[in-house]
Amino acid sequence: MDFDTIIIGAGAAGMMCAAHSGGRTLVIDHAKAPGEKIRISGGGRCNFTNLGTTSANFISENPHFCKSALKRYTQWDFLDLIGAHAIAWHEKTLGQLFCDESAKQIIAMLLKEMERAGAELWLKTSARKISHDGARFHLSVERDGTQVALSARNLVLASGGKSIPKMGASGFAYDIAQQFGLGLVETRPALVPLTFADQRYAPISGVAVPAVACANGVAFEEAVLFTHRGLSGPAVLQVSSYWSEGEEVVLDLDPKGTLFTHLRSARTEQGKRDVTTVLTQVFPARLVQHLSEEMGITGRIGDQSDAALEALCARVQGWVQRPTGSEGYRTAEVTLGGVDTNGLSSKTMEAKTLNGLYVIGEAVDVTGWLGGYNFQWAWSSGWAAGTAIAASTV
Ligand SMILES: Cc1cc2nc3c(=O)[nH]c(=O)nc-3n(C[C@H](O)[C@H](O)[C@H](O)COP(=O)(O)OP(=O)(O)OC[C@H]3O[C@@H](n4cnc5c(N)ncnc54)[C@H](O)[C@@H]3O)c2cc1C
């Protein structure tokens, strides 16, 4: 069976691409349903974009690569699409936009857009072998247990990264990209909780505090959550993308810098109280108990010198953590690294050395922060490839 374009992966990027690629387009996916990650994202409400999206919110060996696509298909363009489908949304925090009702509305919207564009969708279909004869791609796919031979002028790799293998994530795009001569930037789990082999935070699991988390000089101020196995919460997920095994993460539990003033006034007004009691006026009691054991915090607040209070604040503001690992691809929201952008056009996502081969979405070495940026990259890169394909097939 011959197509103009075959897209591998009916996720956010693949469906967006299919809605714009024109001609005879087929999307294949080995899953039973399209857009499974969209469905589970944002607690079932999909944080589909971020109002403040710029290239600064992405990590890549080439930080300039994502600029063109993000500028040509912006968060406002996606909001127009959402508006045209009458999907109600709200801003939760920090520019993060969520559906009022359900992430399933985004999937339904993309399916409608694909249908409008005349694209076909084959689910439960896996690509086995892919080759190129100099003009067209030839695919051997398995559909419902039957081998089917397909060919297309354009092949779009939209099969995502390695995160959440239980949901069908695979390194497929990387293998095929390499088969056709594209490079790979080393991959690792990102937006992922960090772990400690000794499970030191098990006694305070469930405690959450506002904090600044910093790894490799990059800092995020949001909540930090202590868990059975280690550290999580948005601030930690964000810095996990900048952290490598063996490195430290520094937590500042006094992000507003008000602790010293509080302790000094407590010294005057509540001098007989223990320092730990005063600290429970600022932090959850279970956290204070942990800090007092780890930092040896003892004595009455009235007996502390300015220097002692300053030293205590400095420790709370620069609490050094050495995670021993991360939860890995099992729970990582995204995969850092991927297909090397050096081999791709930033305007069209097409391979520079093989006409008709495109790579989009998470498979590319472009990884967004937490907060809707990863979906925006999927929309922007999918749109860039789709419109380029449509223009080339006219
Ligand atoms: C739990 C969770 C929550 C998230 N929440 C958000 C959020 O709220 N906001 C945000 O911006 N980002 C979020 N993300 C990240 C976001 O889901 C991804 O960045 C985005 O889905 C990437 O889109 P994609 O189309 O490139 O890949 P995917 O959405 O992963 O789609 C890839 C598709 O390819 C298919 N596939 C894989 N291998 C093959 C193969 N060999 N053959 C055929 N098909 C194949 C898969 O079944 C899948 O349907 C979240 C991720 C997770 C895991």
Side-chain angles (χ1 to χ4, degrees):
M1 292 174 82
D2 298 333
F3 292 87
D4 293 313
T5 304
I6 294 177
I7 300 172
I8 302 181
M15 289 199 278
M16 190 66 172
C17 182
H20 292 93
S21 53
R24 196 169 173 210
T25 292
L26 170 69
V27 185
I28 65 169
D29 200 299
H30 60 188
K32 285 191 210 125
E36 279 293 88
K37 277 197 186 159
I38 299 175
R39 183 178 60 78
I40 61 159
S41 68
R45 294 235 164 104
C46 187
N47 177 194
F48 55 78
T49 192
N50 192 296
L51 287 178
T53 305
T54 72
S55 60
N57 308 115
F58 294 84
I59 305 164
S60 171
E61 293 265 290
N62 176 0
H64 303 294
F65 181 82
C66 61
K67 286 182 180 171
S68 169
L70 290 174
K71 270 198 190 137
R72 287 184 306 128
Y73 190 88
T74 67
Q75 54 273 42
W76 311 110
D77 292 319
F78 194 74
L79 269 181
D80 284 348
L81 183 62
I82 294 270
H85 286 259
I87 297 174
W89 54 271
H90 61 278
E91 181 182 349
K92 203 166 174 189
T93 172
L94 303 169
Q96 301 169 6
L97 304 190
F98 289 75
C99 298
D100 283 357
E101 285 171 35
S102 166
K104 289 182 193 160
Q105 294 175 289
I106 302 283
I107 302 172
M109 173 188 85
L110 292 167
L111 287 173
K112 262 191 213 151
E113 288 291 315
M114 278 171 58
E115 199 183 313
R116 188 190 49 74
E120 281 182 58
L121 171 63
W122 291 4
L123 295 167
K124 293 194 251 170
T125 305
S126 304
R128 294 280 171 246
K129 270 194 212 146
I130 303 181
S131 59
H132 190 255
D133 64 8
R136 295 180 70 79
F137 291 92
H138 298 274
L139 286 80
S140 163
V141 306
E142 192 177 316
R143 189 187 189 197
D144 286 333
T146 313
Q147 298 292 329
V148 185
L150 306 174
S151 89
R153 195 152 71 89
N154 306 301
L155 177 70
V156 183
L157 303 177
S159 53
K162 292 183 191 168
S163 44
I164 326 261
K166 223 169 68 185
M167 293 189 71
S170 65
F172 187 75
Y174 309 140
D175 297 341
I176 303 303
Q178 280 185 307
Q179 179 191 329
F180 290 116
L182 292 172
L184 210 60
V185 173
E186 195 187 339
T187 57
R188 63 187 165 83
L191 300 183
V192 65
L194 301 177
T195 56
F196 292 80
D198 61 7
Q199 304 201 340
R200 66 185 62 185
Y201 295 122
I204 59 167
S205 73
V207 169
V209 284
V212 174
C214 180
N216 270 313
V218 183
F220 290 89
E221 182 176 346
E222 271 186 83
V224 166
L225 172 70
F226 297 90
T227 69
H228 259 92
R229 291 162 55 83
L231 293 168
S232 188
V236 170
L237 296 181
Q238 296 280 32
V239 292
S240 72
S241 302
Y242 293 88
W243 174 88
S244 299
E245 255 175 60
E247 293 176 352
E248 61 184 35
V249 170
V250 180
L251 298 184
D252 175 355
L253 301 183
D254 178 29
K256 303 284 177 248
T258 53
L259 185 60
F260 183 65
T261 313
H262 181 82
L263 294 177
R264 270 182 65 154
S265 50
R267 185 174 60 189
T268 316
E269 291 152 20
Q270 319 170 40
K272 289 194 176 142
R273 292 214 162 128
D274 286 343
V275 178
T276 49
T277 309
V278 173
L279 285 173
T280 59
Q281 296 161 1
V282 181
F283 302 114
R286 284 200 291 154
L287 176 60
V288 172
Q289 193 185 338
H290 181 95
L291 291 173
S292 69
E293 284 162 17
E294 186 179 319
M295 299 181 183
I297 303 169
T298 54
R300 290 190 180 176
I301 189 79
D303 300 333
Q304 309 299 315
S305 63
D306 271 1
L309 294 183
E310 270 168 9
L312 172 59
C313 290
R315 297 188 73 178
V316 168
Q317 288 168 340
W319 191 18
V320 177
Q321 310 287 325
R322 282 200 183 277
T324 49
S326 82
E327 293 285 3
Y329 289 117
R330 192 177 59 84
T331 61
E333 279 201 14
V334 281
T335 304
L336 203 67
V339 175
D340 192 342
T341 59
N342 271 324
L344 302 174
S345 154
S346 62
K347 195 162 173 242
T348 63
M349 308 292 137
E350 189 175 18
K352 288 176 185 168
T353 50
L354 182 54
N355 283 350
L357 177 65
Y358 296 78
V359 193
I360 57 175
E362 197 180 318
V364 181
D365 170 34
V366 172
T367 308
W369 290 357
L370 188 77
Y373 304 102
N374 283 297
F375 278 135
Q376 186 57 47
W377 170 246
W379 317 135
S380 298
S381 59
W383 178 90
T387 51
I389 289 169
S392 74
T393 359
V394 169

